Amino acid sequence: MVLFRHEVFGLAALAIALLNLLRPSLVLVALTLAVAAFGVVLHNVDLSALAVGVLILSLARPAPAPE
């Protein structure tokens, strides 16, 4: 209940999505989706929706060139 009141799920989803934007990883994508889903279900929709938007932006960037 305390986590719900302070929008911890939304903040965590946003933090993980921003981390994924800087350093893409399949694990971070899965974790962002899971935490954002908890945030949407538990009515932390504002920050969770922002996290999903950042996640989409991180998936939309071009693949790195092979070295």
Side-chain angles (χ1 to χ4, degrees):
M1 194 68 166
V2 175
L3 298 177
F4 167 73
R5 287 188 194 145
H6 297 291
E7 296 187 1
V8 172
F9 291 111
L11 287 172
L14 184 59
I16 297 168
L18 288 173
L19 184 62
N20 187 50
L21 186 64
L22 297 175
R23 186 136 179 103
S25 167
L26 185 60
V27 173
L28 291 176
V29 170
L31 196 58
T32 302
L33 284 175
V35 175
F38 277 120
V40 169
V41 169
L42 296 174
H43 302 287
N44 297 138
V45 179
D46 297 336
L47 292 175
S48 296
L50 183 60
V52 172
V54 171
L55 181 66
I56 290 171
L57 283 177
S58 71
L59 294 174
R61 52 192 217 174
E67 294 180 16

